[in-house]
């Protein structure tokens, strides 16, 4: 899912980011670290933190489908609707989008990658961090704009932004055995920044930088950051919804080692990170994420209904300290620790991962300032002043008379655990209301089938029946029948 422009050069990896903002001299790049004390960083928020504005789930508007000129989800497309509202239907935004944010004019050797994963993932990531989520349609003098319309325009705006950045990379080189052999020909070659080798570039972001950036920006400042979660030759930008540091066990405190005549105390850390999805409907309204509901085991499973919106990863790494790390008996709180020495080691550096491309982040960045006026990769006809004016120009709407529908639904085994009809009704009501739909839900004929699937009859009274259907469908049901 994801990216724009050629993956062959670093400056295009974060499409539209000002080059002056990218600093690779330090392991933390242009991020500024305020707190270095491991004890307080580990203990803050009971080891689990999320941004003040948790990023919302959205679409990355793939280039293979024409970006925001895509008509597969709605007609007219998002860009055409914008053209009708602001350019008298002249298709200025649409024609630009089809020319620049599609795969039609991409060089042949890049076309497969373009169709597979290029898109607006960097722009959606930035918008999901910097902009409040549109949660309902807006009726304005220029027309009615759905949640999907609004998200498309906000996403397009953030194709160009200045940013903080940490990490080096070489997206033209596929991952292979060279990542475990620092002396191989591919490893010693310079990466795209021409300051680090490919081997150094692959193994950053380092554990130390990763720990400091997340605990300082998400934990201390309460702001999200974006990771490229694909360590190899593709780019999958995802805005982080939070992290949880797992307890330090006895076996995690390793034997002291001597480095350059100094005694260091290695500790193996485990950290779960969670990010927002960009594969939902463009009109999806996020139901929310609470890092406090995650657990101290190594599972990164996100339960229904949030599994369509967020996913996670468990990362393990070793940091080296100038003095022993002392914890309470449960390992849930650090009592004292030395300072972190060196950059640390990812566990999969020492024990090969079967999927090394899906391990530590390739780079980390955070959008700062929106760039406009033809800078970067954003559609110049989607203007910030017009987009941000939409909510301010809202006019009152007449309420839609609710309709009643009865659905027979089939849920996959394990979707619900020991729920009564009343509990299920309350759960589904809450899901739909978090999507901004005021509904009344009742459930009848609830039964578990021999294969573990759950079948039930759902009676829903709501004003926007089509949207109710799509929300429930996204949550994993198979409709067997429908009657009004």
């Amino acid at each position: 899912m994801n990216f724009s422009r050629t993956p062959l050069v670093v400056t295009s990896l974060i499409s539209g980011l000002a080059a002056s903002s990218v600093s690779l001299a330090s392991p933390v790049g242009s991020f500024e670290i305020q707190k270095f004390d491991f004890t307080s960083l580990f203990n803050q928020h009971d080891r689990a933190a999320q941004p003040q504005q948790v990023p919302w789930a959205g679409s990355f508007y793939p280039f293979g489908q024409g970006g925001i000129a895509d008509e597969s989800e709605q007609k007219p497309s998002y860009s055409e609707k914008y053209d009708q509202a602001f350019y008298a239907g002249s298709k200025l935004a649409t024609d630009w989008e089809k020319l620049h944010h599609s795969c039609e004019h991409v060089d042949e050797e890049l076309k497969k990658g373009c169709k597979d994963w290029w898109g607006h993932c960097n722009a959606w990531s930035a918008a999901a961090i910097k902009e409040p989520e549109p949660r309902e349609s807006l009726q304005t003098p220029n027309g009615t704009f759905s949640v999907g319309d609004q998200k498309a325009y906000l996403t397009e705006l953030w194709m160009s932004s200045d940013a903080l950045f940490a990490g080096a990379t070489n997206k033209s080189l596929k991952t292979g055995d060279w990542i475990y052999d620092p002396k191989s020909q591919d490893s010693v070659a310079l990466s795209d920044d021409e300051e680090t080798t490919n081997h150094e570039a692959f193994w950053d972001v380092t554990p130390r930088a990763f720990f400091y950036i997340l605990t300082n920006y998400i934990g201390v400042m309460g702001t999200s950051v974006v990771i490229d979660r694909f360590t190899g030759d593709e780019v999958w930008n995802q805005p982080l919804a939070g992290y949880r540091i797992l307890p330090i066990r006895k076996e995690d405190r390793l034997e002291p080692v001597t480095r350059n005549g100094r005694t260091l105390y290695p500790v193996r850390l485990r950290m779960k990170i969670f990010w927002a999805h960009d594969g939902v409907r463009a009109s999806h309204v996020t139901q929310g994420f609470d890092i406090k509901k995650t657990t101290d085991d190594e599972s990164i499973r996100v339960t229904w209904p949030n599994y369509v919106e967020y996913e996670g990863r468990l990362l393990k790494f070793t940091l080296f300290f100038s003095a022993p790390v002392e914890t309470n008996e449960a390992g849930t709180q650090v009592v004292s620790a030395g300072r972190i020495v060196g950059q640390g080691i990812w566990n999969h550096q020492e024990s090969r991962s079967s999927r090394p491309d899906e391990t530590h982040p390739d780079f980390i960045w955070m959008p700062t300032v929106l760039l406009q006026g033809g800078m970067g990769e954003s559609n110049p006809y989607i203007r910030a002043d017009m987009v941000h004016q939409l909510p301010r120009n809202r006019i009152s709407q007449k309420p839609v008379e609710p309709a009643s529908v009865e659905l027979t639904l089939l849920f996959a085994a394990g979707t619900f655990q020991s729920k009564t009809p009343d509990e299920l009704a309350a759960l589904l009501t809450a899901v739909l209301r978090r999507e901004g739909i005021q509904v009344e839900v009742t459930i009848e004929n609830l039964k578990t089938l021999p294969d573990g699937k759950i079948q039930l009859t759902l009676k829903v009274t709501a004003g926007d029946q089509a949207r109710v259907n799509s929300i429930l469908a996204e949550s994993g049901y198979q409709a067997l029948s429908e009657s009004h």
Side-chain angles (χ1 to χ4, degrees):
M1 295 177 186
N2 301 303
F3 204 29
S4 75
R5 298 336 244 166
T6 168
L8 300 182
V9 291
V10 153
T11 52
S12 69
L13 289 176
I14 306 299
S15 187
L17 299 189
S20 61
S21 73
V22 178
S23 171
L24 300 173
S26 162
V28 295
S30 51
F31 284 92
E32 294 184 5
I33 303 305
Q34 297 180 2
K35 293 183 67 175
F36 291 89
D37 179 55
F38 177 79
T39 300
S40 61
L41 291 173
F42 182 95
N43 293 337
Q44 67 182 344
H45 311 299
D46 294 325
R47 299 174 289 105
Q50 66 185 40
Q52 294 176 7
Q53 176 174 305
V54 177
W56 35 267
S59 169
F60 72 101
Y61 306 98
F63 282 15
Q65 296 178 17
I68 68 168
D70 173 32
E71 293 186 333
S72 65
E73 191 162 314
Q74 72 170 40
K75 290 185 180 182
S77 68
Y78 308 108
S79 59
E80 263 194 278
K81 203 166 180 181
Y82 193 92
D83 284 328
Q84 291 171 1
F86 297 107
Y87 297 118
S90 61
K91 294 193 175 182
L92 293 174
T94 300
D95 288 344
W96 190 96
E97 193 73 7
K98 289 180 177 179
L99 180 63
H100 297 278
H101 289 170
S102 75
C103 299
E104 295 303 314
H105 304 282
V106 173
D107 292 343
E108 199 60 38
E109 67 269 21
L110 299 175
K111 194 157 286 188
K112 182 181 186 304
C114 179
K115 291 180 178 180
D116 286 347
W117 55 272
W118 291 18
H120 292 67
C121 71
N122 58 307
W124 157 72
S125 295
I129 288 175
K130 304 293 284 188
E131 302 281 357
E133 181 180 25
R135 300 187 66 83
E136 56 186 357
S137 296
L138 296 177
Q139 187 175 342
T140 76
N142 295 91
T144 299
F145 298 94
S146 68
V147 168
D149 294 326
Q150 297 169 68
K151 285 189 174 183
Y153 308 149
L154 291 172
T155 297
E156 190 63 55
L157 291 182
W158 283 95
M159 277 296 271
S160 300
S161 71
D162 203 346
L164 305 179
F165 189 93
T169 193
N170 184 348
K171 292 296 183 181
S172 64
L173 184 62
K174 284 190 174 295
T175 303
D177 286 342
W178 63 268
I179 67 173
Y180 298 108
D181 180 7
K183 296 181 180 180
S184 72
Q185 184 175 351
D186 284 334
S187 289
V188 299
L190 289 179
S191 65
D192 288 331
D193 63 27
E194 297 186 350
E195 295 179 10
T196 58
T197 66
N198 285 331
H199 190 268
E200 293 169 329
F202 184 88
W203 290 111
D204 77 356
V205 172
T206 65
R208 181 178 187 267
F210 169 79
F211 178 82
Y212 274 145
I213 291 172
L214 266 62
T215 54
N216 272 263
Y217 279 78
I218 299 177
V220 176
M221 302 181 202
T223 183
S224 180
V225 296
V226 184
I227 64 166
D228 171 15
R229 65 175 176 83
F230 197 86
T231 320
D233 61 324
E234 297 179 6
V235 182
W236 297 65
N237 286 294
Q238 311 284 167
L240 292 187
Y243 69 80
R244 173 176 287 277
I245 308 173
L246 303 190
I248 297 174
R249 305 162 299 188
K250 289 182 180 179
E251 62 264 33
D252 294 328
R253 287 189 280 267
L254 308 179
E255 290 296 321
V257 296
T258 300
R259 298 276 176 84
N260 298 322
R262 300 177 58 189
T263 300
L264 300 178
Y265 301 85
V267 175
R268 185 161 291 156
L269 295 174
R270 299 170 297 153
M271 198 167 177
K272 297 198 288 194
I273 57 174
F274 298 88
W275 56 76
H277 262 306
D278 58 0
V280 299
R281 290 172 291 111
S283 58
H284 180 91
V285 177
T286 310
Q287 298 164 34
F289 179 84
D290 185 357
I291 193 67
K292 295 297 184 183
K293 293 183 178 179
T294 60
T295 57
D296 275 341
D297 58 27
E298 294 190 354
S299 168
I300 47 84
R301 181 173 179 267
V302 180
T303 56
W304 189 94
N306 293 126
Y307 73 88
V308 299
E309 301 172 335
Y310 299 95
E311 67 177 322
R313 179 177 293 167
L314 172 68
L315 291 169
K316 299 180 181 180
F317 52 94
T318 300
L319 294 178
F320 297 83
F321 295 83
S322 61
V325 174
E326 303 292 346
T327 70
N328 64 1
E329 186 174 353
T332 56
Q333 189 172 36
V334 171
V335 177
S336 64
R339 62 183 180 84
I340 300 173
V341 179
Q343 296 302 318
I345 300 174
W346 295 107
N347 275 29
H348 50 281
Q349 284 180 267
E350 301 176 294
S351 177
R352 294 191 179 204
S353 168
S354 61
R355 305 175 73 176
D357 284 327
E358 298 181 22
T359 50
H360 64 284
D362 196 19
F363 52 77
I364 303 176
W365 61 281
M366 187 186 80
T368 55
V369 180
L370 181 65
L371 301 178
Q372 284 274 283
M375 300 181 69
E377 302 291 341
S378 61
N379 190 321
Y381 298 102
I382 307 294
R383 290 173 37 186
D385 56 341
M386 294 177 176
V387 173
H388 288 141
Q389 196 66 29
L390 290 176
R392 301 170 196 153
N393 290 341
R394 180 177 184 169
I395 58 179
S396 60
Q397 298 172 244
K398 293 182 179 179
V400 179
E401 286 297 321
S404 180
V405 68
E406 184 176 289
L407 300 170
T408 299
L409 309 180
L410 187 65
F411 287 87
T415 303
F416 304 109
Q417 300 294 331
S418 303
K419 298 289 186 182
T420 67
D422 287 345
E423 289 172 332
L424 275 176
L427 177 60
L428 293 172
T429 298
V431 167
L432 293 168
R433 286 185 176 177
R434 280 196 294 268
E435 292 261 6
I437 298 179
Q438 294 303 309
V439 297
E440 294 297 333
V441 174
T442 58
I443 289 177
E444 298 177 355
N445 304 324
L446 175 64
K447 58 183 177 181
T448 302
L449 303 181
D451 59 2
K453 294 180 180 178
I454 296 174
Q455 182 175 310
L456 56 85
T457 301
L458 179 71
K459 293 184 177 179
V460 181
T461 301
D464 190 348
Q465 194 58 56
R467 189 154 167 255
V468 168
N469 291 350
S470 63
I471 292 167
L472 293 177
E474 188 175 60
S475 299
Y477 83 82
Q478 175 185 349
L480 300 181
S481 63
E482 176 177 329
S483 61
H484 293 267

